[in-house]
Amino acid sequence: MSTPLRPWSVRAVNLPEHADNPVHTREGGLAAGYAGAVVAGTTVYAYLTRPVAEAWGAEWVTGGTAEVRFRAPVLADEAVDIVPEEIDDGWTVEARNASGTCAVLHVERDGSAPEDPSGERLEPLVAELDDRWSG
């Protein structure tokens, strides 16, 4: 039996480090035809994975799987409901705003590596962060 995932709600925010992309600012979002600043997909993904990581912890982070599909933008300061639902082969977690479903995450607690991995093995990447990432 799978540990249940709990729904939660959040008021969407854009993190300052995303302001390098104009669409994540109010002015840039308006110029691109949106009703405001578009919240970064990585932030929406974090909202979706919170109930999964909370319920399944490091076991899922190191051995589970997730696939996200974005359907509509989430705007800064919008109320977003995160709604998990158990299905036959795992769980789905939806991000919903007043307009409907914005993103859907499909997760499985126990993922497996492909039997025949393709591509080349990547070398570890070490990056030094500058002061704009502090705090």
Side-chain angles (χ1 to χ4, degrees):
M1 172 132 178
S2 185
T3 304
L5 307 183
R6 297 183 331 188
W8 74 291
S9 297
V10 63
R11 185 144 306 267
V13 297
N14 257 323
L15 302 174
E17 56 266 27
H18 296 142
D20 290 346
N21 182 335
V23 78
H24 299 310
T25 66
R26 178 168 170 68
E27 296 77 22
L30 291 171
Y34 297 102
V38 176
V39 173
T42 54
T43 303
V44 175
Y45 182 80
Y47 297 156
L48 289 163
T49 58
R50 177 184 169 171
V52 184
E54 182 180 74
W56 299 343
E59 177 186 342
W60 174 73
V61 172
T62 60
T65 62
E67 178 182 317
V68 67
R69 294 186 186 254
F70 296 98
R71 295 185 174 172
V74 172
L75 300 180
D77 205 35
E78 277 189 318
V80 179
D81 295 320
I82 306 301
V83 183
E85 180 181 347
E86 191 167 16
I87 58 173
D88 290 338
D89 62 343
W91 284 78
T92 61
V93 183
E94 291 189 5
R96 300 177 186 163
N97 63 11
S99 299
T101 300
C102 304
V104 179
L105 181 77
H106 178 80
V107 292
E108 295 180 34
R109 188 171 190 154
D110 300 312
S112 59
E115 288 183 29
D116 185 21
S118 60
E120 19 181 301
R121 186 168 185 83
L122 298 175
E123 293 300 320
L125 172 66
V126 176
E128 292 190 31
L129 303 179
D130 59 32
D131 62 348
R132 73 182 180 134
W133 298 99
S134 64

